[in-house]
Amino acid sequence: MVSYIDAVSAPLKNTGAIRLYTTEDFAGMRKASQLTARCLDELASLVKPGVTTNALDRFVFEFGMDNGALPATLGYRGYKYSVCTSLNHVVCHGMPDDKPLREGDVVNIDVTYILDGWYGDSSRMYPVGQIKRAAERLLEVTHECLMRGIAAVRPGARIGAIGEAIQTYAEAQRCSVVRDFCGHGVGQIFHDTPNILHYGRADEGPEMREGMIFTIEPMINLGKPHVKVLSDGWTAVTRDRSLSAQYEHAVGVTATGCEIFTLSPGGLDRPGLPPLQG
Ligand code: MF3
Ligand code: CO
Ligand code: CO
């Protein structure tokens, strides 16, 4: 059973009902998301060999402060950083540290700013210097998974259509889809209903409706899909230590499809990869 609730009348906690946001709400979400996208654009020129993820964490904090926004992860369930930095075989929730990035690394940088009460949540992969062809291919496949998932968003379709589109493409490319983490409703709450699975079938899950806002954030591995969380309680890694990648957008369901709130204003949705044609 799924129910729906107007965002304005909903209490600011997760009640199990899927919120439907208004046009004005979409404007708030667009503003927060574009701040996050601008930060991710800036990070593209900062990521290089020798830079530490602590330095990137400081940048994300300062950029937020300079723009009147708070990093949502800071103090979230005891997390102590302004950003997640997930390197190579780290699937997600990697914590910034003082180890310099090295040529050939790939790092996911996941930023969420709270601006005027709205949560802008997005992440991209950043190659560090020259990377191996296998790594570049994984990044391309993972970004394509995200965009195929987004292409499945429209009112009337079920949320399972997103997962089916992602899983079908990832597995056809001999990659695997992580099951342990999913996308989520977002808006005036960081992690809200519904869960957005990155695998499954088009006839599963709740029906999408105009006004819903959620993230799509597939984690795709070169090896097996299995994940373990390290003893720090946060860092999720591939069990087989194979390379993992993730891109994340926040989208709002419109009458005909969706709006991508977190698109790069600078054309840097896939930093370090050759531009897409079309
Ligand atoms: N931004 C992540 C997401 O996409 C959540 C990070 S929560 C943290 O949902 F506590 F790990 F930072
Ligand atoms: Co998210
Ligand atoms: Co995120």
Side-chain angles (χ1 to χ4, degrees), residues 244-264:
S244 187
Q246 177 180 33
Y247 291 81
E248 174 178 26
H249 275 312
V251 304
V253 182
T254 62
T256 53
C258 73
E259 172 176 351
I260 308 174
F261 294 119
T262 44
L263 273 182
S264 165

Side-chain angles (χ1 to χ4, degrees), residues 84 108 110-112 120-123 184 190-191 215 217 246 248:
C84 295
N108 174 277
D110 191 337
V111 173
T112 308
D121 185 8
S122 184
S123 82
H184 49 90
F190 196 177
H191 293 115
T215 72
E217 46 183 300
Q246 177 180 33
E248 174 178 26

Side-chain angles (χ1 to χ4, degrees), residues 21-241:
Y21 290 100
T22 64
T23 305
E24 299 82 75
D25 296 335
F26 271 45
M29 195 56 198
R30 199 174 292 131
K31 209 173 151 204
S33 300
Q34 280 299 298
L35 184 66
T36 294
R38 277 175 48 212
C39 176
L40 293 175
D41 279 10
E42 295 286 329
L43 285 164
S45 53
L46 297 181
V47 173
K48 50 181 160 236
V51 170
T52 68
T53 45
N54 273 341
L56 304 176
D57 184 63
R58 275 193 300 274
F59 175 81
V60 172
F61 180 79
E62 293 297 335
F63 188 88
M65 293 302 107
D66 291 347
N67 289 281
L70 194 68
T73 56
L74 206 54
Y76 179 78
R77 298 177 183 233
Y79 192 82
K80 292 189 174 68
Y81 306 92
S82 297
V83 65
C84 295
T85 51
S86 302
L87 193 63
N88 300 331
H89 72 292
V90 179
V91 171
C92 63
H93 304 162
M95 292 184 285
D97 62 23
D98 59 7
K99 282 203 291 293
L101 294 170
R102 292 162 49 165
E103 180 100 17
D105 285 340
V106 291
V107 61
N108 174 277
I109 307 183
D110 191 337
V111 173
T112 308
Y113 284 126
I114 312 170
L115 183 65
D116 302 331
W118 295 95
Y119 286 71
D121 185 8
S122 184
S123 82
R124 302 176 194 160
M125 296 301 298
Y126 296 78
V128 181
Q130 194 65 39
I131 61 171
K132 290 206 174 98
R133 180 60 200 145
E136 183 173 88
R137 193 182 76 89
L138 178 65
L139 269 48
E140 285 173 339
V141 167
T142 306
H143 187 266
E144 180 64 17
C145 282
L146 171 60
M147 298 319 286
R148 286 181 182 227
I150 290 172
V153 175
R154 57 176 178 80
R158 293 187 179 275
I159 281 172
I162 300 167
E164 182 176 290
I166 291 169
Q167 183 180 13
T168 300
Y169 183 73
E171 292 178 356
Q173 298 300 316
R174 286 163 284 108
C175 295
S176 68
V177 179
V178 170
R179 310 291 204 269
D180 302 68
F181 300 96
C182 56
H184 49 90
V186 70
Q188 288 174 307
I189 293 176
F190 196 177
H191 293 115
D192 205 349
T193 51
N195 285 335
I196 308 296
L197 305 186
H198 303 117
Y199 60 93
R201 290 171 39 144
D203 62 358
E204 295 168 337
E207 198 177 292
M208 290 181 257
R209 293 217 183 161
E210 186 175 354
M212 285 175 54
I213 298 178
F214 50 79
T215 72
I216 304 177
E217 46 183 300
M219 285 140 276
I220 307 295
N221 300 345
L222 275 184
K224 298 234 157 63
H226 310 105
V227 163
K228 67 174 178 190
V229 176
L230 299 185
S231 57
D232 60 26
W234 283 105
T235 314
V237 299
T238 53
R239 284 192 172 267
D240 62 8
R241 294 186 69 88

